[in-house]
Structure formats: C-alpha cells, structure tokens
Amino acid sequence: MMRSAIALTLCAIAAAASSCAPPPPPRQTTTLEPTPATLHAVDLSDSMQPIASDRPVSLTAARNEWTSFALQVSEIPQADGYWVRFHEPQFESANAAIPLSAFETYEVLPMPVDLDRAGFVRHTGLSTASRNLPRALLPAAVDPTGALNLHTLRDPARPTDPSSRLSGPHGQALLWVDLHVPPTAGAGDYGTTVDLMRAGDPKPVASVPLHLTIYDFTLPDERHLNIIGQIGWDRLKQLYADEFEAVRPRLINRTDPRYAGTVTILDQLVTLAQRHRTAVVIPNLQPTVKWDQPGQPPTIDWRDFDSLIRPWMQGTGFADHIPLSYWPLPEAELLERYDRKSQLDYWSQAAVHFDQNDWLNHTAVSLAKITPGRAGTEESIDLSAQAAEILAVHPRIRVMLPLEEDQVQLAGANNPKLIDPATTSRLLSSCPSLVFATPPKDDWPPGVAHPEHWLRTDLPGIVPYAGAGGSERDVRLWAWLAFLRRAHFIQWDSAVPAVASPTEPADPGQLVWFYPGKWFGLAEPVATVQLKWLRRAQQDYEYLWLAQERGEIINAMQMARLITKPVEIAPGQLPDPTYSLMSGTTDVKAWTDAHELLARSVLLRQPEKPVDTEAQRALYIQTLQWARPQERPLLMGRTADWSWDDSKKGGDWIKLRLGMNIYNASDDTPGGNVLHWAELPTGWEIHPQPMQIPLLKTYHVLSATMDARFDALRTTTASRQTMEIDFVDGFTKVASPLKMVLPVAASARREGRLSIDGSLEDWDPVYSVQDGPMVVMLNRPTLQRQDVQMASTSSKVFTGWADENFYLAFALEGIAGESHRTQNFVTYKDRRAWGEDLCEVMIQPVYGDASNTLGSVLHIICKPNGAQWVERKVDPRVNRNPWQPVEGSGIRYAATTPTGMKWNGELAIPWKVIADPNRGSPVLIRFNFVQHRTATGESASWCGPIDFGRDDSLMGALYLRNGSEGAGVNDIVRSSDSPYAPRIP
C-alpha cells in the first residue's frame, strides 16, 4: 500500500510538471543507408603485387620483436565520418592485454619507380607497366581510444601535397601497422579485431580479425647483425640543400646555432634507423686535423666530432638507450693525398682517441675498392699491404677489407710487408655473395685466427644480383646469407634516394630507407616500407642466432642454405648471368614455413630445461619435409645442336643434342641420379634408357646433354609443343622437371607471287611456323618453379624460301603504338634489346656436308617503323665485340601497323647474306624469333625459354622442304642452279 501511495504521488508530480512544459517530441529512429566500404588485410611483402584478402591477420612474434601488417580501406563514400578503430589484443589464457600504445600506424603512399628495366623483369617476372609503388610511410595519428580518422589521410594520387585528403565516392587507402611486443608480455595466443566505423552507426561497417601468437623467448636488444646504410655528403647536400650545402662536415657541432638544422636532420636519420634495428653512418663526418710541423704527427681537434656522435655511440640519444654497434673510423679530409707516413700517423692517433672513448671495438678503418667484382692478384696484394701497415699502428685497431678470406695476403719470409698472421683477428674480410668462385685451395694456416666477415651489397659480385628493392624476401635474403657466411655486418650503399625530387622515378633495385620529410611537408624524415623489411631481416638473423645459441645450429644452417641457394663457380668455369636467377627462394610459403620452423628450433631448448625429445623428433621430421622441395635441383636448357642424320634409313631425320645445366642446393647427392625424357611432342624418337648423372656437389652447376631424333616427315604444329625432361634423384626418387619449347618446323619452298609490302596477303597457313603465344624469356620465379610461361599476346610467324632469298613474315600484337619513341639504334640492358617495340631474328645455316658444319649467325632486328638493324657474329676469341654490323645486306623489309596495337612485317633475306656458297648448301637452319614489348617489358621467343635475344646457343630448327606441308621431303618442284639455293636431301 505504501508503494502504491508513493507511485500515485510521483504520477501527480509528473502530471503537474507536464502541465507546465510542452510535451517531448517523439523519438526518431535513424536508419543508415548500407555502405560499400570495405576493410581487408593486405600482403605488402611484395610491394609490386599488393594482395588484399578476406582472411584474418595472423601474426607470430617473440617478445621484444616488431611485427607488422597492412590494411586496405576501399570504397569510402566520404572520408569524413569514417574511422578505423584498433582494440587491445586480449590474452586468451589470462586476464591480460597488449596496450594500444604498442601499435604504430602509417599511411602507405605510392612513389614513382622506373620499372622499365630488363634486370627488374628478369628478377621478378612482372610487367613494367606500373609506374608507382607503395613506398612512403606517413605517420597516421591514432587517438588514445585507438581511433584513426580517415579524413586525416592523404589522397594517394597526391602523396606529397599536405593539403590533399582522402575523398569519395571510391576512396581507397593503404595502412601499415607496426606492433611492438612488450618484453614482459606473456607467451601464448592473443586476439582482437580492427574495425571500420562510421558516424552514427554503433556497429562496425567491416572488421578484420587479428590473431597474435607470442613465442616464449625474447629477442635481445643487442644487434648481432649490423645492417649499415651509408649516406654520402653529396646526397645530403642535394636533398637538404639549406642545411648542408654551405656546411663543412668537420665543423659541425651541437653547440653552435649555425648547425642546429644540420644536427637535427642527422639526429633524425640516425635515430630513425636505430629504432628499426639498423644503423646509418655518414663517412664524411670527421675531426679537424692540422699538420703543423713537417714530419711530425698531426694535431687533431675531436671536440666537434665527439659532440656530434657521442649520443649515438653511448645510446643517450635514443629512447631505448641502445648505442650504435658500428661507426667507421673517420678519415681526415684529403687524407688519401698525403704521404703514407702522415696517413699512418693520423690512423694511430684516431685509434688512440676512439680507444679512450671505449669505441674502438665498434669501428674499423674501411679500405676502398672501386672496381666491381673480385679483386685481382695485384689489387689483393696492394690492399693487404695497406691493411698490414694500419694494423701495426695500434694493437687494437681493426681494418675492413674488400677482399674475401682466400684473397687476404699473409706475411711470410718472402713477403714480410703483408699482413702479420698474429693480427688477422682484427681484420674484417668480405664474404662471397650469392654467386661466388671456388677458392683455389683452403690454405689458411692452422692456428691463425680467421677474420671476421662482412657482406657488401654496393658492388656487384661475379654475377650482379638485381634484387633487394622489390620485395621483403629479397631484403631478408641478405640476413640469411650473412648467417650462412658467418658475417656480422651488411653494408648498403645509400640509405637515401638517389633521385633529387619526389616526382623523379627511382631505381626499383635501390633500397631507400627514408625520404626527406620536406617532400611531404613534414619536419622529420619519412620511413619506407623497405626500412620495415630491413628490420624484419635483422630480426630474422636474431632468430638464427638464438637457434645457434641453443644448440640447433645444424637446422639453422640448413634452412639458411636452402633459403639463399648460393651458386658456386668451379675453377676455370666462366660466370653466367643466369646463375643469379637460381639464387634465393621465390616461394612465399617456403619463407613462412622456414620462419615458423626456426622459431620452434629456438623454443626446443629452453634455458636450464631438458630437451623434449618427442618435440625434437617431430621438428626434425617437419624440417626434412620442408627441405625436400627446396633441395630439388633446378634445370635449365642451355644449348640445342641440330644436325642432319643420314644414318637412319626409311626417313629423313633431324638430330638434336640438348645441353642443360643442373643446379644442386642440397648436400652432395649420392649415385643413381638419372635424366630421362618425360614428355615429347609427336615426331620424336628417343632412347628409353635413362642417362646416368654423376655426383651433384652442393652449390655447383653441372652440365649434361641428352640426344633425340626428329622425323622430318612428321612436321606438324604439334611438333612445336612443350617437351619435358625429368631429373630423378637417386636417393629420394623425386623427379624435377625441365620444360622447354624446342620447335622443329618445315620451311617450304615458295611458288608464285610474293610482294614484300607488310600486308601478309601472300602468306598461306601452309608456311606458318608459329600461331599462338610464344615462350616468355627467363625470369627468376618461373625458373624456380621449373615452368614455362607463355606470352600474354599471340604471334604469327611464316617462313619460306626460293632460289635467291629466304622469306620471313610475322604478325605481332601488343605494341605500344605510334606515341612511343623509336630509336635509330638498339639499346641493350642486361643483354636484352630494350626500350622500344622490336623483334629479333636469329639465323644460322647448317650445311649438308658429312660433319653438319655451321655457318655464321645472322642477327636481324626489325622495328614497326620499317627500320632494321643487321649484324653477324664473328669469332669472340679474337674480337672483343663479336657482333659486327652488316652493311649493304640487301635485306628488304616492309612493315605495317593495321591498328595501334598490331604490327605486320615481311622480310626477303638474300641467301648470300645467310650462307657461304663455298661451303655447300644448307639443309637446316637454326632459327629463333623474338618479340620485345616495351609497354610491359615482356620478351618472348619461338624457342625457349632463353635469357636474351642474341642467344645463339639455344635455337629451334627449320627444315628446308621443297614442297608443301605434308609432302615428302624429296618431292622436288624444280631444280635450281643458284649457288645459294638450299640443297634438298
């Protein structure tokens, strides 16, 4: 009753109040329209092929490790009113979480990159059509609640405009997210989501689940691999003219306000690199040095220099207080011009000063080598003598030599001025790159300490490696190689752009660590995606180092060997540029699985705990399973020798001897390895017995040959299909395929009207030797997949002949059109004709004598505008340039472009240009036809895959038929008295 009375009283009060105020408006229910906006995870490990997916983000990391992921926001109607919200990853096994402060978010902005490079296409197999790649990382502000307002992001189409903003109706942005796992985080699984929100809607528009597994070990703060990027003074002056142009490096200090801007930029660059577990050095920074008295040591003023680098060397200038592990011993201005005694006096005093500051173990005198490749004998002796003199000036000074260990010249009775064997522990010798030469012999004296090792990336080795700038795997590869070579330093040439402005396209192979902030209207330098890859590489090395420290060195070394796949050149063996395509691992899953196995190797042996033998056994089995596909040999076709075979009766036969390379990355294989033909087009005859292959040595490339015959009476379009040879491992019985197209076609004698006008109206299908896509030239991913990649466009090629001429016609697709330039010459890059639409014809006669001798190779380049270039190959043993122009060849060439993307051509090539009448008449022609498309950089050939258009080692065969397709080879239409007309067998 009391509750009822109170209720009535409250109602009365409410009624009285309502009589004094207007009634409230009815509640409105807002219905938001559906939005097409999406949020997806993106794989940016290959910046040239960002891949968005609907899968959740799955991360694994150790404590104190940086891990990263990328997100793509798409179809934003309007940036204002949309935001991305991050949430704390929650520990699934306990009441704990990783704080939002562990996240760092950036907007990924595209930068212009010049992909029109043959090296890029060979290395990646990708198109050159793209001109902008995701590179720059602009910090994106996230508020304390974890919200990132999309309206604060820039328009990717105007990345350097500070006033640009992401806008609809189809706005799209890429986000890069760093997550630093706290050193105190508990090991186990964490989960959360990243949500796309919009104003007025309490539910996420889209979400991406985030799973994080934290391993039960901690990455050390100490850097066991020093990744060092150099910044030259000239680059600083170009990029930061106001702060560096009128500044002398030896006078910079932290107290003079004139250098405040200069010091700020240097601090920013060094700090940003150190924060990513790398280091940048500026070799031009130096003390003030004066030589007051002739013949006396110099007077050195270190105050300015010390004030500048001390915060870096002691770690006080960094938030984590981790000092730099390396800074080169500074070289005095113009020191290289002084006499040798003065130079040594300087190095002696410099070493004393660094020793007094406790920096001497973190520095070295770096001796320069300007020429590319390995040093010769004289250069090795000279550099060793210089190093010996420097090592003698101080008992703890170190010298970094651009010589490999087998090139270091030690002192002896006959050469006392070379390196004292007692000082070799203070040497840093360079170690072999991915393609390396076998040392003549291992004659390092017993009991003499081996030098420390370093990897140099700024000079090409025996075979240049075009990677490093394109994908995360190409950057991480160098860390795994450093572990394999037992190197503790990797030195990169330049950490800043080589271009002068943000609109100038960069080299895709250059590793740019940061861009000037002023390019984007910011005060601080802007990190790049590539800098994040470098941090990932350094952390990879720490995983390998931890596995080694915990007793799993064999597993770690095996994985490093199979990830890097170096190629060893035997003594006397000529280096081949294609060997660089065999190196490294392009399989993304192989990298992912290797990292997981490496983490498990570290976890296998916890400090002060016994090894779980069952877990160890399971890990070893899974590592072997991972290794098997990586250990499969790589095969590459290299030569095709064609000849006429008169030995077999009852037909006309063409004989092939195919030469190939077999590369082995595994341990030395036992006996029992075989090669056998696995798949052949119709018309071929083979011996079914497999061919025995001798022992395959680790890292070596073995040459082998296989023979087959082709029945010329069975020449059809099917005889130009893909063939396959299998290498079968004698131990595992696993087959590794080699797929190729080695076409054989009939070139029929022509009768009747033929006008060389480019119209192709005179060409019947009976003369066709190609109708469809040709074979794309070698590239690294396709070679490592042991596959044949076909061109993206179709090509038609016709051939024929008469008494005086060999005729060729073609119809090609995919040319760039009239707007693209045509040169009056031919440009070659990485041996490939480049820079414009063109086609190449390779012709070599096979004479019908008893030995099937070969004539010289004729190379013809044709262009859509009707221009042609003709050259002949001469003896390379006596000619530095074996390709010599042919003047007055008499070749008639006509071209038409019926549409903007198509190109027809016809050629009449006199037999007197192809064949030597004094050597008889040809019965076969070794032949190849190549098209290069400048719009995409794609090069494809009739016979292949090959690596360059002038490859005269691997060519198909044209059988000269004196009749139509399907007619007998001895069906003579009429005889000829021309000395150049082919003799029909």
Side-chain angles (χ1 to χ4, degrees):
M1 290 178 63
M2 288 183 63
R3 287 198 191 104
S4 300
I6 293 172
L8 289 173
T9 303
L10 291 173
C11 289
I13 296 172
S18 64
S19 64
C20 299
R27 295 185 64 180
Q28 299 291 325
T29 302
T30 303
T31 303
L32 296 175
E33 293 295 327
T35 175
T38 62
L39 180 70
H40 291 98
V42 178
D43 181 4
L44 273 183
S45 62
D46 187 340
S47 63
M48 287 165 287
Q49 291 183 309
I51 301 172
S53 72
D54 292 325
R55 292 178 296 181
V57 174
S58 295
L59 305 175
T60 59
R63 290 185 289 259
N64 199 35
E65 180 178 353
W66 287 88
T67 186
S68 305
F69 61 96
L71 300 169
Q72 179 176 281
V73 185
S74 302
E75 298 298 326
I76 301 298
Q78 57 184 29
D80 193 16
Y82 283 81
W83 65 90
V84 171
R85 168 151 287 162
F86 298 91
H87 305 279
E88 294 181 341
Q90 300 295 316
F91 197 8
E92 296 179 2
S93 302
N95 185 20
I98 295 177
L100 288 174
S101 59
F103 288 94
E104 293 182 4
T105 309
Y106 305 84
E107 182 183 7
V108 187
L109 294 176
M111 298 296 286
V113 180
D114 179 14
L115 301 183
D116 190 15
R117 297 169 185 260
F120 166 81
V121 174
R122 290 178 73 249
H123 189 78
T124 65
L126 300 177
S127 169
T128 63
S130 175
R131 291 295 181 267
N132 292 287
L133 299 181
R135 280 285 191 265
L137 297 176
L138 261 65
V142 177
D143 69 22
T145 68
L148 168 62
N149 189 344
L150 296 184
H151 184 62
T152 63
L153 301 182
R154 293 194 184 182
D155 181 358
R158 296 185 293 159
T160 59
D161 182 0
S163 65
S164 71
R165 289 292 179 267
L166 185 66
S167 60
H170 303 290
Q172 178 172 301
L174 277 176
L175 299 175
W176 180 282
V177 185
D178 279 342
L179 173 60
H180 182 236
V181 179
T184 57
D189 295 325
Y190 293 73
T192 187
T193 61
V194 182
D195 300 328
L196 176 62
M197 311 293 295
R198 65 169 171 170
D201 193 344
K203 297 182 179 179
V205 174
S207 294
V208 173
L210 172 61
H211 303 303
L212 170 65
T213 298
I214 298 179
Y215 295 129
D216 191 15
F217 61 89
T218 305
L219 290 195
D221 286 324
E222 179 186 359
R223 280 60 157 162
H224 294 95
L225 174 66
N226 296 288
I227 298 179
I228 303 161
Q230 299 185 92
I231 303 180
W233 200 255
D234 288 341
R235 300 299 312 134
L236 290 172
K237 288 196 296 184
Q238 184 175 29
L239 297 173
Y240 300 97
D242 294 344
E243 293 83 5
F244 288 88
E245 190 173 76
V247 169
R248 284 176 287 181
R250 63 181 177 84
L251 299 179
I252 302 173
N253 64 79
R254 294 184 176 274
T255 59
D256 191 331
R258 293 177 300 174
Y259 304 114
T262 306
V263 171
T264 297
I265 291 172
L266 292 175
D267 275 339
Q268 290 171 344
L269 294 171
V270 173
T271 301
L272 187 54
Q274 187 271 353
R275 196 165 182 271
H276 287 80
R277 301 183 68 94
T278 63
V280 293
V281 299
I282 300 91
N284 292 84
L285 296 180
Q286 59 200 227
T288 298
V289 184
K290 295 181 180 180
W291 271 266
D292 297 321
Q293 300 295 327
Q296 296 298 313
T299 301
I300 306 177
D301 186 346
W302 291 97
R303 289 173 296 178
D304 293 339
F305 177 84
D306 287 354
S307 76
L308 187 60
I309 77 162
R310 180 172 282 112
W312 310 333
M313 300 301 290
Q314 295 180 345
T316 57
F318 308 130
D320 59 6
H321 298 286
I322 305 300
L324 297 184
S325 299
Y326 176 80
W327 191 274
L329 201 60
E331 181 175 318
E333 190 174 16
L334 305 178
L335 185 65
E336 76 281 357
R337 303 183 187 180
Y338 296 154
D339 63 273
R340 191 58 179 162
K341 180 183 182 304
S342 298
Q343 293 177 6
L344 296 175
D345 285 342
Y346 169 77
W347 290 126
S348 174
Q349 292 201 46
V352 169
H353 179 78
F354 265 60
D355 202 15
Q356 291 170 346
N357 284 279
D358 200 23
W359 300 339
L360 198 53
N361 287 335
H362 304 288
T363 189
V365 178
S366 182
L367 297 184
K369 179 182 180 297
I370 306 302
T371 57
R374 278 170 60 92
T377 303
E378 291 186 7
E379 198 169 14
S380 297
I381 293 173
D382 179 61
L383 287 166
S384 296
Q386 292 182 47
E389 292 178 322
I390 296 172
L391 290 168
V393 303
H394 191 280
R396 296 178 57 225
I397 194 172
R398 300 196 302 172
V399 177
M400 183 177 282
L401 270 174
L403 300 177
E404 295 178 19
E405 189 171 299
D406 65 287
Q407 298 174 297
V408 173
Q409 305 293 313
L410 300 181
N414 298 324
N415 46 13
K417 294 186 178 181
L418 297 180
I419 295 172
D420 183 349
T423 65
T424 54
S425 62
R426 294 188 279 124
L427 278 179
L428 288 83
S429 65
S430 64
C431 51
S433 189
L434 288 164
V435 180
F436 65 102
T438 305
K441 60 180 179 177
D442 186 9
D443 56 356
W444 194 260
V448 176
H450 287 267
E452 195 173 352
H453 293 158
W454 67 290
L455 269 175
R456 186 172 184 178
T457 64
D458 59 328
L459 288 180
I462 296 174
V463 175
Y465 182 75
S471 77
E472 180 186 78
R473 293 177 296 280
D474 285 337
V475 175
R476 295 170 64 186
L477 176 72
W478 290 94
W480 292 68
L481 181 62
F483 182 80
L484 185 68
R485 302 294 196 213
R486 302 183 184 278
H488 298 142
F489 297 84
I490 301 178
Q491 184 167 296
W492 298 90
D493 183 27
S494 181
V496 294
V499 296
S501 73
T503 58
E504 188 177 348
D507 182 342
Q510 187 195 8
L511 206 63
V512 177
W513 298 26
F514 11 68
Y515 295 109
K518 65 180 182 180
W519 283 7
F520 303 89
L522 302 179
E524 297 189 355
V526 172
T528 66
V529 171
Q530 293 167 312
L531 180 60
K532 306 296 182 180
W533 295 344
L534 282 167
R535 183 179 62 195
R536 175 69 269 158
Q538 202 286 327
Q539 294 179 151
D540 279 358
Y541 190 94
E542 299 298 344
Y543 272 68
L544 290 160
W545 179 83
L546 281 169
Q548 173 184 277
E549 289 297 296
R550 296 190 177 187
E552 292 299 319
I553 180 63
I554 295 177
N555 256 9
M557 291 296 288
Q558 181 190 28
M559 286 190 281
R561 168 164 55 84
L562 296 177
I563 281 290
T564 56
K565 292 187 175 68
V567 180
E568 183 174 2
I569 297 176
Q573 183 181 2
L574 295 176
D576 192 311
T578 55
Y579 291 167
S580 65
L581 303 178
M582 300 174 176
S583 300
T585 300
T586 59
D587 184 357
V588 177
K589 189 176 186 303
W591 276 93
T592 303
D593 293 347
H595 191 266
E596 180 184 349
L597 290 169
L598 192 57
R600 290 176 58 191
S601 298
V602 177
L603 292 167
L604 191 64
R605 298 175 182 265
Q606 293 289 359
E608 301 179 359
K609 291 183 180 180
V611 176
D612 184 339
T613 56
E614 289 298 321
Q616 185 182 51
R617 186 179 299 109
L619 174 63
Y620 289 173
I621 291 173
Q622 290 177 335
T623 303
L624 287 173
Q625 292 171 341
W626 171 87
R628 283 173 184 168
Q630 313 310 319
E631 290 180 327
R632 290 181 183 176
L634 294 178
L635 284 74
M636 184 190 310
R638 304 314 306 273
T639 62
D641 296 330
W642 302 92
S643 58
W644 186 257
D645 185 8
D646 289 323
S647 63
K648 193 168 182 68
K649 304 303 180 183
D652 294 293
W653 294 83
I654 299 168
K655 188 163 57 177
L656 166 68
R657 170 155 288 182
L658 173 64
M660 65 199 79
N661 285 163
I662 307 172
Y663 167 68
N664 176 45
S666 70
D667 295 326
D668 292 354
T669 63
N673 305 313
V674 297
L675 278 174
H676 68 86
W677 295 98
E679 184 178 330
L680 283 166
T682 57
W684 285 95
E685 178 187 275
I686 59 170
H687 294 293
Q689 296 83 3
M691 188 178 75
Q692 297 293 321
I693 296 297
L695 172 75
L696 292 180
K697 294 184 177 180
T698 307
Y699 301 151
H700 281 219
V701 178
L702 177 73
S703 296
T705 59
M706 294 280 283
D707 294 331
R709 301 173 189 262
F710 181 79
D711 186 353
L713 294 176
R714 301 178 66 185
T715 305
T716 64
T717 56
S719 64
R720 303 189 286 274
Q721 300 302 310
T722 303
M723 60 174 56
E724 181 179 319
I725 294 176
D726 282 351
F727 171 91
V728 181
D729 187 284
F731 178 70
T732 65
K733 306 305 179 184
V734 174
S736 301
L738 168 63
K739 296 180 181 180
M740 303 182 63
V741 176
L742 292 174
V744 182
S747 183
R749 184 186 185 109
R750 288 199 58 101
E751 287 294 326
R753 180 181 181 276
L754 176 61
S755 299
I756 306 300
D757 55 11
S759 68
L760 306 191
E761 294 178 355
D762 302 325
W763 290 93
D764 190 88
V766 71
Y767 300 106
S768 173
V769 298
Q770 170 69 31
D771 189 359
M774 296 191 295
V775 184
V776 171
M777 282 191 186
L778 284 170
N779 61 69
R780 189 163 160 259
T782 303
L783 173 63
Q784 295 193 11
R785 289 196 305 268
Q786 294 286 263
D787 200 3
V788 171
Q789 180 182 351
M790 307 308 293
S792 57
T793 58
S794 183
S795 303
K796 294 183 179 181
V797 181
F798 306 88
T799 69
W801 61 274
D803 289 349
E804 303 297 332
N805 296 298
F806 175 78
Y807 299 107
L808 174 70
F810 55 84
L812 307 178
E813 300 175 356
I815 68 172
E818 298 179 357
S819 61
H820 200 273
R821 70 182 189 278
T822 298
Q823 305 171 128
N824 295 325
F825 49 87
V826 181
T827 298
Y828 292 93
K829 292 183 178 180
D830 288 283
R831 304 187 298 173
R832 297 189 182 185
W834 204 259
E836 58 183 321
D837 286 297
L838 53 81
C839 66
E840 300 176 79
V841 183
M842 295 284 286
I843 300 176
Q844 184 179 30
V846 181
Y847 294 105
D849 52 23
S851 59
N852 282 283
T853 57
L854 300 175
S856 58
V857 180
L858 190 69
H859 178 237
I860 306 169
I861 285 186
C862 300
K863 303 184 180 184
N865 65 349
Q868 61 171 296
W869 182 278
V870 185
E871 55 189 4
R872 189 187 309 279
K873 189 174 185 179
V874 296
D875 191 345
R877 295 170 297 180
V878 294
N879 294 272
R880 177 173 295 181
N881 179 15
W883 294 99
Q884 298 295 324
V886 177
E887 304 293 342
S889 65
I891 296 175
R892 289 178 288 150
Y893 165 55
T896 60
T897 50
T899 67
M901 298 291 288
K902 294 186 178 181
W903 165 27
N904 297 341
E906 288 182 292
L907 292 98
I909 308 169
W911 280 114
K912 64 181 180 180
V913 180
I914 298 173
D916 182 351
N918 298 321
R919 300 180 64 183
S921 301
V923 292
L924 295 172
I925 288 179
R926 298 181 74 235
F927 177 82
N928 209 357
F929 183 89
V930 176
Q931 179 189 4
H932 171 66
R933 296 175 54 212
T934 193
T936 62
E938 182 181 84
S939 298
S941 58
W942 184 61
C943 172
I946 58 176
D947 192 30
F948 59 105
R950 290 196 292 192
D951 183 358
D952 59 321
S953 298
L954 192 67
M955 301 166 68
L958 290 180
Y959 167 62
L960 300 175
R961 190 197 303 276
N962 199 5
S964 60
E965 184 82 25
V969 295
N970 292 313
D971 291 345
I972 305 297
V973 177
R974 68 178 179 87
S975 63
S976 173
D977 296 327
S978 170
Y980 301 105
R983 177 183 64 83
I984 303 302

